[in-house]
Amino acid sequence: MKTYVLDARTVTPHFPGIGRYVASLAPALAAQLDHDERLLLLHGPEAAARLAGLAGPQVSLLATPISPFSLAQQWAIPRLLRRASDVQIYHSTYLVMPYSLRLPTVLTFYDLIPLQHPETVTRRARMLFRLTMSMALSTSTQVLAISEAARRDLLLRFQQPPQKVVTTPLAADARFQPQPAAAVARVRARYDLPEEMMLFVGINKPHKNLVRLIEAFGRLLQAGSSATLVLAGPWDERYPQAEQAIGQLGAGERVRRLGPVADADLPALYAAATLFVLPSLYEGFGLPVLEAMACGAPVACSDRSSLPEVAGDAARTFDPTDGAAIAATLQELLADPVQRARLAQAGLAQAARFTWATTAAQTLAVYRQVAGVGSASQP
């Protein structure tokens, strides 16, 4: 029996994006295991209830209180895994990991935001990122990049052998789908949302480019638009620029900050949007684009980093550094329901091309290749 260890200690509120990746990947992997393969989920206390339903003949859960940020993981995790039987692969879902496991290791790589956009972190954080990324890469046998753009960035910055880094794209969870009118109405009432709204989902960090989106929205207001800009997601007070831009707009009631939205409300929130907008300067993948498409929302997004490969031809793209271009794109779409309907239909088809079953199959191919069966290399 071959055992593959998936490190699910990142399934915590501290890792919202990575945690969602792991929680979606785990059941998809479990569904595709061969008869002689077993999946061992290494997890912390917070993830126990979320992962418990996966336990079965070929899936085991191994609890540990050791955090990914704890120095103790360097000796405690290797000791823990030595007690497990027939462990063939350790899959780390975070760059801070045990660096001396003496096991073939697979690493998932997401983005280079601290290096590509140094304004988002401190100098110390950049140094730590570069150090831990270098250590993780030197430890890893294979690397899974979540997009082609992320893969290119990694190969350029860290000079890894091309065959070592394989692209395994993400997907929207199955709950992201067109919503019943009643569900949309409930969410609209719960958050007091207007009928005509542009929606952004994400944090207010500088690489999300919210300041330019708000400035572009100001141009729309000057042109007489009746739309409201709705910003959903956590708000980091270390980055006041977007809040300042809202204040300078002089029409704060037309910009709604919802803060973090319950996961259960997200599908209907996307479905309620007249238009979903993601103006990011950089994304490792840009999962909100797929989630919005899967819920039937028309999408406009940046033409940078991974977003064109995720959106394909199903979104209108714009130069995120050009406020006038952003405004012109948004104004055109808000005024054209036929074009929005066409984008919505194209988006449903585009989102359907990305599935967790495919991601799991690609991931298992890497596990098997590292364990000595098959091939997962990529030119």
Side-chain angles (χ1 to χ4, degrees):
M1 182 76 73
K2 296 186 288 290
T3 299
Y4 308 135
V5 176
L6 176 63
D7 196 332
R9 291 179 296 151
T10 49
V11 181
T12 74
H14 185 82
F15 295 98
I18 299 176
R20 183 177 293 187
Y21 160 74
V22 178
S24 298
L25 178 63
L29 287 171
Q32 298 185 46
L33 294 171
D34 285 344
H35 70 278
D36 62 342
E37 295 175 323
R38 186 168 70 104
L39 184 65
L40 179 61
L41 299 175
L42 181 66
H43 68 89
E46 292 176 284
R50 192 169 177 183
L51 299 174
L54 295 178
Q58 290 181 269
V59 181
S60 301
L61 274 63
L62 181 58
T64 176
I66 305 298
S67 159
F69 297 111
S70 170
L71 180 62
Q73 76 166 327
Q74 299 303 326
W75 56 85
I77 299 302
R79 187 184 308 133
L80 195 64
L81 295 185
R82 278 196 296 270
R83 296 180 191 143
S85 61
D86 300 316
V87 173
Q88 303 286 312
I89 303 293
Y90 167 74
H91 181 177
S92 178
T93 56
Y94 187 49
L95 76 169
V96 181
M97 56 186 276
Y99 298 117
S100 57
L101 268 176
R102 298 181 182 176
L103 272 174
T105 297
V106 174
L107 170 71
T108 298
F109 165 71
Y110 306 95
D111 59 58
L112 290 177
I113 288 172
L115 304 184
Q116 302 285 66
H117 288 274
E119 70 277 10
T120 63
V121 296
T122 64
R123 182 172 179 270
R124 179 175 179 273
R126 291 196 300 275
M127 292 174 61
L128 283 173
F129 179 87
R130 193 181 293 276
L131 174 64
T132 53
M133 179 60 74
S134 296
M135 292 172 66
L137 290 171
S138 66
T139 300
S140 302
T141 310
Q142 286 276 180
V143 179
L144 310 179
I146 62 173
S147 67
E148 283 290 337
R151 179 176 182 267
R152 288 194 300 269
D153 289 343
L154 183 65
L155 294 177
L156 182 63
R157 284 274 187 162
F158 286 90
Q159 287 87 48
Q160 296 296 295
Q163 67 273 16
K164 181 177 176 177
V165 187
V166 177
T167 302
T168 57
L170 309 185
D173 190 82
R175 65 196 174 88
F176 292 101
Q177 56 183 280
Q179 298 293 295
V184 175
R186 280 195 299 271
V187 163
R188 202 182 290 281
R190 182 172 299 143
Y191 295 98
D192 190 24
L193 300 174
E195 286 294 326
E196 186 179 21
M197 68 172 199
M198 291 189 300
L199 175 67
F200 164 88
V201 175
I203 198 168
N204 61 315
K205 288 185 177 180
H207 71 280
K208 295 292 186 178
N209 204 29
L210 269 183
V211 171
R212 282 201 185 90
L213 175 59
I214 292 162
E215 291 171 349
F217 180 63
R219 292 173 183 256
L220 266 62
L221 295 182
Q222 292 171 3
S225 174
S226 59
T228 295
L229 177 60
V230 176
L231 310 176
W235 203 263
D236 192 326
E237 299 299 334
R238 293 176 298 172
Y239 309 105
Q241 298 90 339
E243 183 67 34
Q244 292 166 358
I246 294 171
Q248 292 166 4
L249 201 60
E253 72 280 359
R254 298 289 294 279
V255 181
R256 295 281 314 283
R257 276 177 49 192
L258 302 186
V261 172
D263 273 356
D265 290 340
L266 268 177
L269 181 64
Y270 282 124
T274 308
L275 181 65
F276 175 78
V277 188
L278 192 65
S280 300
L281 298 169
Y282 183 92
E283 292 283 347
F285 185 82
L287 192 54
V289 164
L290 276 193
E291 292 175 346
M293 287 179 170
C295 294
V299 172
C301 66
S302 161
D303 63 4
R304 300 299 164 88
S305 64
S306 63
L307 293 177
E309 71 183 87
V310 173
D313 296 327
R316 279 290 302 275
T317 59
F318 49 74
D319 178 351
T321 67
D322 186 340
I326 298 172
T329 301
L330 301 181
Q331 188 170 27
E332 178 187 335
L333 289 173
L334 288 173
D336 190 345
V338 174
Q339 187 176 178
R340 292 201 309 272
R342 180 185 62 78
L343 287 174
Q345 286 302 311
L348 289 170
Q350 178 69 5
R353 294 188 178 100
F354 295 81
T355 69
W356 283 109
T358 299
T359 304
Q362 294 167 337
T363 302
L364 275 172
V366 172
Y367 289 178
R368 291 161 182 159
Q369 183 262 330
V370 171
V373 181
S375 173
S377 63
Q378 180 169 332

